[in-house]
Amino acid sequence: MPEKPTLDGLEDRWARVWEDEGTYAFDRTATREQVYSVDTPPPTVSGSLHVGHVFSYTHTDIVARFQRMRGKHVFYPMGWDDNGLPTERRVQNFYGVRCEPSLPYDPDFTPPEKPGKQQVPISRKNFVELCETLTAEDEKAFEELWRRNGLSVDWSHGYQTIDARARAISQRAFLRNVERGQAYVSMAPTLWDVTFRTAVAQAELEDREHTGAWHRVAYHGADSSGHDADVFIETTRPELIPACVALIAHPDDERYQPLFGTTVRSPLFDVEVPVLAHPAAEMDRGAGIAMCCTFGDLTDVQWWRELDLPNRTVINRDGRLLRETPDWITSELGRQRYEELAGATVHTAKERIVAMLTETGELVGDVRPVTRPVKFFEKGDKPLEIVSSRQWYIRNGGRDATVRDEMIARGQELQWHPGYMRHRYEDWVRGLNGDWLVSRQRFFGVPVPVWYRLDADGEVLPDEVLTPSDDTLPVDPSTDLPPGFTADQRDVPGGFTGDRDILDTWATSSLTPQIAGLWSIDDDLFSRVFPMDLRPQGHDIIRTWLFSTVLRSHLEHDSLPWAHTALSGWILDPDRKKMSKSKGNVVTPMDLLVEFGSDAVRYWAASGRPGVDTAFDRGQMKVGRRLAMKLLNASKFILGVGVPAGEPDLTAVTMPLDRALLARLTEVVEKATTALDGYDYAVALEATEQFFWFFCDDYLELVKSRAYGEFDEAGRDSARATLAAALRVLQRLFAPVLPFVAEEVWSWWQEGSVHCAPWPDIHELATSAEADPQVLEVASDVIGSIRRAKSEQKLSIRTEVESLSVQAAPAALEALRAALADVRAAGRVRDVELVVSADGELVTTVGAPTG
RNA sequence: GGGCGCGUAGCUCAGCGGAAGAGCAACGGCCUUACAAGCCGUCGGUCGCAGGUUCGAAUCCUGCCGCGCCCA
């Protein structure tokens, strides 16, 4: 035990010991029942860790430490998410390269010293290698931070979402979905981001207010008597007029009923289109009759499907109009006009069309600005287009009521902390409107592990999907060969071609329990950890990560991936805004850990209720530091008084005050245990902390003299045994939240790590005789009154008190009498008078303190 | 527009059907042989607003107002 205890240096010292001793090593001989397994969220390594990470990962660590102390073998791995756009961009910028899957692997490739102006195209395999090199550095920094933060992770069970095992597991799970018909390939209208040139899934969409304008445009028809009659529609996207396939109004709309079944000709291009009825047309929107184009929005897709309309796509995947004039435009004038638009961006095409319409007089009245919600890719900055493309999907219940019901049932089976978060899941499942699009037209990621046969003309035969044999996974179809084919058959008529797409990052992240547990690679390990116990995560990714993980597990294992999920809140800055880099209010976590000490920062994290957004509060960290310091000092004091070694002997606890103390502590143990069992670390900490300050300020002061041996031997031994027993319990109760200081003070007098010591049991403080809690209450009350009297008279706490009179009910006086020697010693009281009061009220009169 | 959550002391938050709480801050004190990075004490609230249920409401119900998140 050091002369002057300090918090400085505890992190380095104990982190090293824990690593050397293997304190948190997972015992893989443990059976599933003995294991507590955590599906740790793999942080994105290309970003930087912020305070929010420290906050939520600390919550998980507290639970893991608690479970370990309860005797579980904790499987607590750490993964790194380096699969996806953020890493792709970072590798591109850092090395000045770009991924080009058609290129062959170059084993001797070294990136340029400094990234040049032109990005060097390299094969996917080379790109993945660079990613692994670059992220290795990031991961080292992350690991250092996590170790300093005190996460009790077993670092030998790590993974990266782009490493070979993760790729193999991701591809294997996907191929098994294909085999069972749960994944399928389909040519369909797809939401498309023209900047990233990739398809986008429902989970990646967001609506943004976008400024547009209503254009009133004339289509040309004939009235019942055959005379020319114009039909006016209103559109915000006049550039889609060449893609128009029908005009559509509501079946009940009397204005347009005469037109249903007739045809009209489009302005400028003179293409004949039918006028049709469909209930999705909104009577009070615009003119009440809409132009259906392939495809302007999702309603167009619905009409196209349900009314069996032709596909007249004019917008390319680069966001420009087709360079070839479409064959459905037949009039000479129409084809001339289209040529002026060919290859133009959507924006330019709109300007030109509006100019043409103005010239021909087919644009009527003023253009009226309107702001309306438009779908965007969450990472993009241009509105999404809808294009037809071949894509892979996984059935998720979006088009299948049975699967949807099963997914809702899984959500009900899962235990949510806090419980109300389940609503978000159910809302999402109920709102799904299509299957999960998992193929992405990006270059970096887990390749879609299939090839396609080519026909005699070299065209893809999408129904003839070639799959790899399981033992060759992971594969990259752009360089590996399908079984039974040779390299010279690649991309030639009658041969094959590899799928160039990659899987959505969530298609891999949805398998983190399988990746961490090494499903299909080490099935023995997997059987010991799966289904897992806990998925901790942010509530913002319930619809993506949580949902997709439940789905994959449901499809592959017919079970939940984990029994519990704990949703953590966000960190808000003092202005109640979510902390973000752009606001410049991000604090580096390492700086905080250094400034306050890891235990103090963890204390702040633990004071945030599960699922509740929490203010970033340096004040709480100061309080945490004080608490850690207090635990050092109180431990030092108690051990300095001299407590018996080994297991505390509770038969020595004979004084009523001591028994009452242990009884109260037992209640705290019970409360903390129940709270932690329910994932409420905040309540557990609060109960422990509140008791601890009371223990230090009142109980320690009361028994100090007796513990020093100033009275009789029995009283001294009772106090010392109580102090030892209470300290042993308190150090363990604090261990999950304050692992460093708890380990430090434990090491002063106990064997082994406090983190492997058994969690306090409610029976371990039971004394031979029943405790009277009133003894502690009254003694505490009276000593408080004495302090108040001294404080009000601005006297030293050491001032002697001439006389003390206590009026109270007989039972209270009896209780006080049991602790009177302690009270007198602590208050420095000479004479005491106990008076039975008429009303039972406790009244303490402190007479004449003398300086 | 829908779902969910939140409005309690100057600040951060507990309490969620039986006399309004904690910590921080503020203020006044105390060198007290574990701790002055400590300790003791004091001040401080129409529990967002309006109704309702109840013997009793911060707590349950309804409606408003405000804030946040998720989804349209």
Side-chain angles (χ1 to χ4, degrees):
Chain A
M1 187 169 75
E3 185 68 23
K4 188 117 181 107
T6 172
L7 298 174
D8 299 331
L10 290 187
E11 290 90 349
D12 282 342
R13 179 139 53 88
W14 289 111
R16 195 171 309 124
V17 171
W18 294 334
E19 173 68 9
D20 293 346
E21 308 272 315
T23 308
Y24 309 123
F26 176 62
D27 173 6
R28 63 164 299 162
T29 65
T31 63
R32 181 65 196 85
E33 293 67 42
Q34 299 169 317
V35 167
Y36 185 86
S37 45
V38 182
D39 182 18
T40 317
T44 306
V45 282
S46 50
S48 49
L49 290 175
H50 53 82
V51 185
H53 285 105
V54 169
F55 180 70
S56 56
Y57 281 72
T58 296
H59 298 161
T60 306
D61 185 61
I62 291 168
V63 171
R65 287 179 181 278
F66 166 69
Q67 293 290 347
R68 191 178 292 109
M69 292 176 76
R70 293 215 96 189
K72 292 285 191 180
H73 295 279
V74 175
F75 182 68
Y76 186 11
M78 179 61 68
W80 308 112
D81 188 10
D82 40 19
N83 169 5
L85 272 178
T87 304
E88 178 173 333
R89 282 197 199 132
R90 186 156 142 69
V91 171
Q92 279 177 347
N93 296 335
F94 191 88
Y95 293 113
V97 297
R98 66 184 167 82
C99 180
E100 178 48 62
S102 62
L103 290 175
Y105 176 61
D106 175 1
D108 300 323
F109 176 77
T110 47
E113 292 262 316
K114 278 185 181 167
K117 277 187 180 148
Q118 289 288 320
Q119 291 182 334
V120 182
I122 59 174
S123 75
R124 177 144 52 201
K125 190 166 175 186
N126 287 111
F127 198 89
V128 168
E129 284 177 359
L130 288 183
C131 159
E132 286 173 337
T133 309
L134 185 62
T135 54
E137 289 297 307
D138 297 333
E139 284 156 17
K140 247 166 64 186
F142 276 41
E143 181 175 336
E144 191 191 338
L145 180 73
W146 284 145
R147 284 181 186 272
R148 191 178 181 98
N149 191 45
L151 297 194
S152 59
V153 159
D154 179 349
W155 290 99
S156 67
H157 287 275
Y159 65 85
Q160 296 159 275
T161 54
I162 197 62
D163 70 23
R165 294 192 300 196
R167 294 203 306 275
I169 289 170
S170 178
Q171 292 185 333
R172 180 169 294 123
F174 173 76
L175 289 167
R176 290 170 62 92
N177 290 140
V178 173
E179 258 173 57
R180 291 189 294 256
Q182 294 158 342
Y184 61 91
V185 65
S186 166
M187 188 78 180
T190 311
L191 285 160
W192 186 269
D193 186 283
V194 297
T195 311
F196 289 94
R197 297 201 192 181
T198 182
V200 173
Q202 187 183 351
E204 295 167 307
L205 298 181
E206 61 185 39
D207 281 8
R208 290 185 206 156
E209 289 299 321
H210 192 69
T211 324
W214 287 116
H215 300 74
R216 190 169 169 86
V217 174
Y219 275 69
H220 312 296
D223 64 18
S224 51
S225 49
H227 293 99
D228 285 356
D230 284 351
V231 179
F232 297 97
I233 60 107
E234 297 202 355
T235 178
T236 57
R237 301 205 56 188
E239 73 276 17
L240 287 176
I241 291 173
C244 179
V245 291
L247 297 190
I248 296 175
H250 196 277
D252 298 339
D253 195 330
E254 292 177 7
R255 292 171 294 177
Y256 299 110
Q257 278 175 356
L259 291 174
F260 293 148
T262 69
T263 62
V264 292
R265 282 170 291 110
S266 63
L268 301 182
F269 305 101
D270 200 32
V271 175
E272 189 170 7
V273 296
V275 182
L276 303 171
H278 191 282
E282 294 173 52
M283 286 194 254
D284 53 0
R285 186 181 157 93
I289 185 163
M291 153 178 112
C292 173
C293 307
T294 51
F295 296 94
D297 61 23
L298 291 172
T299 314
D300 287 342
V301 176
Q302 186 189 359
W303 285 329
W304 170 76
R305 274 211 185 96
E306 296 181 10
L307 300 172
D308 198 21
L309 296 166
N311 189 339
R312 292 179 182 159
T313 300
V314 295
I315 295 180
N316 244 328
R317 297 182 188 190
D318 56 4
R320 291 170 180 273
L321 266 64
L322 295 180
R323 282 162 185 79
E324 302 275 305
T325 303
D327 54 12
W328 60 83
I329 300 176
T330 51
S331 81
E332 187 64 22
L333 203 51
R335 294 185 70 82
Q336 277 175 23
R337 283 175 176 144
Y338 187 85
E339 276 159 27
E340 287 179 44
L341 306 170
T345 62
V346 166
H347 183 79
T348 308
K350 181 182 289 181
E351 283 181 352
R352 290 188 190 159
I353 284 206
V354 168
M356 291 179 201
L357 288 168
T358 308
E359 204 181 301
T360 61
E362 287 166 307
L363 180 68
V364 183
D366 291 332
V367 168
R368 303 193 321 277
V370 61
T371 302
R372 70 211 193 290
V374 170
K375 296 212 181 305
F376 280 72
F377 176 34
E378 60 190 0
K379 294 188 175 71
D381 51 13
K382 282 189 179 160
L384 291 173
E385 296 294 343
I386 297 172
V387 304
S388 292
S389 61
R390 189 180 65 234
Q391 303 287 346
W392 282 92
Y393 296 85
I394 292 179
R395 297 185 198 281
N396 64 0
R399 306 178 66 175
D400 179 340
T402 311
V403 178
R404 181 161 52 229
D405 291 347
E406 286 166 1
M407 291 305 290
I408 286 175
R410 289 292 180 207
Q412 281 162 354
E413 188 186 342
L414 181 61
Q415 306 212 38
W416 300 75
H417 308 280
Y420 59 77
M421 291 291 183
R422 174 184 287 120
H423 292 288
R424 301 231 180 142
Y425 173 90
E426 291 191 356
D427 288 351
W428 172 248
V429 176
R430 294 210 166 90
L432 285 170
N433 54 29
D435 282 333
W436 176 15
L437 188 154
V438 292
S439 48
R440 290 304 132 85
Q441 289 66 50
R442 300 301 305 169
F443 316 108
F444 169 67
V446 176
V448 175
V450 301
W451 301 262
Y452 306 93
R453 290 296 306 265
L454 297 177
D455 67 12
D457 297 326
E459 291 293 315
V460 170
L461 295 165
D463 293 336
E464 299 208 29
V465 175
L466 305 166
T467 55
S469 70
D470 187 82
D471 55 358
T472 58
L473 298 178
V475 297
D476 186 339
S478 64
T479 51
D480 295 319
L481 298 174
F485 287 81
T486 55
D488 55 0
Q489 290 174 282
R490 183 183 292 277
D491 294 328
V492 298
F496 72 91
T497 189
D499 194 312
R500 294 203 169 186
D501 293 349
I502 59 165
L503 291 167
D504 176 14
T505 71
W506 294 113
T508 301
S509 301
S510 58
L511 296 164
T512 50
Q514 289 84 348
I515 294 169
L518 295 179
W519 168 71
S520 74
I521 291 174
D522 183 347
D523 282 323
D524 175 72
L525 175 68
F526 190 65
S527 70
R528 294 170 196 274
V529 301
F530 186 91
M532 294 199 166
D533 289 279
L534 176 64
R535 155 65 70 84
Q537 66 161 78
H539 55 67
D540 51 329
I541 50 176
I542 288 173
R543 65 185 176 136
T544 48
W545 194 33
L546 190 142
F547 170 75
S548 62
T549 311
V550 172
L551 176 70
R552 300 306 288 284
S553 178
H554 175 69
L555 296 178
E556 184 60 48
H557 309 288
D558 192 24
S559 80
L560 276 177
W562 355 261
H564 298 265
T565 184
L567 288 311
S568 58
W570 277 329
I571 299 312
L572 307 175
D573 70 15
D575 298 332
R576 313 297 308 161
K577 296 277 187 283
K578 187 187 172 187
M579 276 201 149
S580 63
K581 232 181 264 181
S582 58
K583 291 227 183 302
N585 56 10
V586 162
V587 187
T588 318
M590 192 53 101
D591 292 347
L592 284 180
L593 296 181
V594 170
E595 181 179 354
F596 294 100
S598 297
D599 285 334
V601 177
R602 290 172 61 102
Y603 169 88
W604 159 74
S607 61
R609 256 68 189 168
V612 177
D613 294 346
T614 300
F616 175 73
D617 188 354
R618 302 173 77 88
Q620 277 296 96
M621 297 180 200
K622 277 189 202 157
V623 174
R625 188 170 176 88
R626 258 183 28 181
L627 175 65
M629 202 67 208
K630 193 79 174 177
L631 186 57
L632 279 181
N633 282 314
S635 298
K636 177 190 156 201
F637 169 64
I638 291 170
L639 298 180
V641 165
V643 296
E647 287 280 321
D649 175 17
L650 294 184
T651 60
V653 179
T654 52
M655 300 297 286
L657 185 74
D658 301 339
R659 286 188 183 139
L661 188 277
L662 294 183
R664 188 182 287 192
L665 180 52
T666 297
E667 287 171 23
V668 172
V669 170
E670 193 166 10
K671 186 168 185 186
T673 307
T674 307
L676 280 165
D677 268 330
Y679 294 84
D680 198 339
Y681 40 81
V683 163
L685 171 61
E686 189 185 37
T688 306
E689 186 191 7
Q690 200 201 350
F691 175 88
F692 178 63
W693 286 107
F694 162 80
F695 172 78
C696 289
D697 297 341
D698 283 12
Y699 180 77
L700 280 185
E701 295 302 328
L702 281 166
V703 300
K704 214 178 242 185
S705 303
R706 178 154 59 85
Y708 280 136
E710 289 172 17
F711 310 152
D712 56 274
E713 220 165 89
R716 182 196 68 190
D717 293 347
S718 177
R720 291 183 178 181
T722 305
L723 290 172
L727 187 65
R728 246 169 61 95
V729 167
L730 282 166
Q731 289 177 349
R732 282 175 289 154
L733 288 177
F734 278 124
V737 179
L738 311 173
F740 294 102
V741 72
E743 187 76 312
E744 171 72 10
V745 295
W746 187 259
S747 75
W748 292 344
W749 65 315
Q750 301 286 330
E751 293 297 315
S753 170
V754 71
H755 302 296
C756 300
W759 183 253
D761 184 273
I762 53 165
H763 303 298
E764 77 174 71
L765 296 176
T767 49
S768 51
E770 199 167 323
D772 175 8
Q774 208 179 2
V775 177
L776 195 57
E777 287 158 22
V778 176
S780 186
D781 264 10
V782 173
I783 196 73
S785 302
I786 297 169
R787 283 177 189 149
R788 191 175 309 116
K790 290 177 181 174
S791 183
E792 276 164 1
Q793 295 176 53
K794 305 189 178 179
L795 292 169
S796 160
I797 213 81
R798 287 171 64 193
T799 311
E800 289 219 341
V801 172
E802 198 92 22
S803 66
L804 174 75
S805 164
V806 180
Q807 292 179 48
L813 291 180
E814 189 62 32
L816 179 58
R817 204 168 277 126
L820 201 53
D822 291 334
V823 172
R824 286 182 58 189
R828 298 191 167 239
V829 178
R830 203 176 301 165
D831 299 322
V832 179
E833 180 193 26
L834 303 182
V835 182
V836 174
S837 76
D839 55 4
E841 196 84 0
L842 184 100
V843 181
T844 305
T845 314
V846 181
T850 51

